[in-house]
Amino acid sequence: MRKWLWLLLYVLLAGVTFIYRYELLAWTDLNPSIPLLIGIAALFALVPVIPYKFVIAAFGYSYGTTTAAWVCWVGTTLAALLVYAGARYVFRNQARAYLDRIRGLNRFTNWMEAHPFMGVMSLRLLPVVPQTAVNIYAGITFTPFWVFMVATAIGKMPAIFVFAYAGAQAETSIWLSLLILVGYLGFMGIVLLLFRFRSRKKG
């Protein structure tokens, strides 16, 4: 019963956040205190009703690269730890049983459990991988807490800095901002292709 209560609370939080998502972003402009900014950043990472890259860019536009980068980094890391804890301590048994029934995931799960730090950090660096899914997956596999926390903190840094910088540049040159984003996504696309090629070669 307690598990369904946690799930219900999360759904309610997601609903409220979705309804008031634009008001919450506007509220940060009226009350630009660091604790509030971190709280809003964590909320949007915990409940991804807006793509988080847009949130980072919006913070960069409003507060500059440095403030936006470290505020979003702290916020999204806190949110990741909360989701990880929920998956590990509340839904782990049921989710793990479901994972074990999916044959295609067994090999990847075994690799993740053998190389948890590299696995989590690699998934963090790939922009096409939903970050909430990484949090949940790490929680239901045997990924140690400290390994998850350090790999998450390091793996999130590059993307957050790039999107915060792109958002900060949008005020002076929207084309430069778009060029930065396209360049980053192109670079990460190449990394993804190399990763897939290496995985197939090993297989």
Side-chain angles (χ1 to χ4, degrees):
M1 183 66 183
R2 185 182 62 179
K3 296 176 182 179
W4 289 108
L5 179 61
W6 282 111
L7 186 59
L8 177 61
L9 290 174
Y10 181 81
V11 171
L12 290 174
L13 179 63
V16 172
T17 304
F18 178 78
I19 293 171
Y20 295 103
R21 59 194 184 279
Y22 300 119
E23 288 81 357
L24 288 170
L25 285 175
W27 189 29
T28 61
D29 289 331
L30 299 176
N31 304 277
S33 67
I34 295 300
L36 175 62
L37 294 179
I38 292 176
I40 295 297
L43 176 63
F44 279 115
L46 183 64
V47 185
V49 296
I50 298 177
Y52 201 70
K53 295 175 179 59
F54 293 162
V55 176
I56 299 170
F59 274 50
Y61 181 83
S62 298
Y63 309 109
T65 303
T66 302
T67 299
W70 80 263
V71 162
C72 291
W73 178 70
V74 172
T76 190
T77 301
L78 289 174
L81 295 178
L82 288 174
V83 175
Y84 167 87
R88 180 168 183 173
Y89 298 110
V90 181
F91 298 102
R92 182 175 187 175
N93 293 333
Q94 293 84 350
R96 186 56 190 254
Y98 176 76
L99 270 185
D100 291 339
R101 292 198 298 267
I102 304 175
R103 294 182 180 179
L105 280 178
N106 287 339
R107 183 178 178 185
F108 181 72
T109 300
N110 292 335
W111 182 85
M112 276 282 294
E113 292 178 344
H115 310 87
F117 181 83
M118 184 59 64
V120 172
M121 193 166 68
S122 298
L123 293 174
R124 293 298 186 198
L125 292 172
L126 296 176
V128 296
V129 178
Q131 295 301 295
T132 300
V134 178
N135 303 332
I136 296 173
Y137 195 78
I140 60 181
T141 57
F142 293 99
T143 303
F145 171 78
W146 290 106
V147 171
F148 173 79
M149 186 177 72
V150 175
T152 293
I154 296 174
K156 284 179 173 291
M157 286 181 182
I160 289 177
F161 179 81
V162 168
F163 282 90
Y165 182 73
Q169 298 306 308
E171 186 175 5
T172 57
S173 174
I174 187 65
W175 293 111
L176 176 60
S177 179
L178 292 174
L179 182 63
I180 294 170
L181 295 179
V182 170
Y184 174 78
L185 293 176
F187 173 75
M188 295 310 299
I190 294 173
V191 172
L192 177 60
L193 290 175
L194 292 174
F195 181 80
R196 292 183 62 183
F197 175 78
R198 184 179 180 184
S199 298
R200 290 179 179 177
K201 189 175 180 180
K202 287 185 176 181

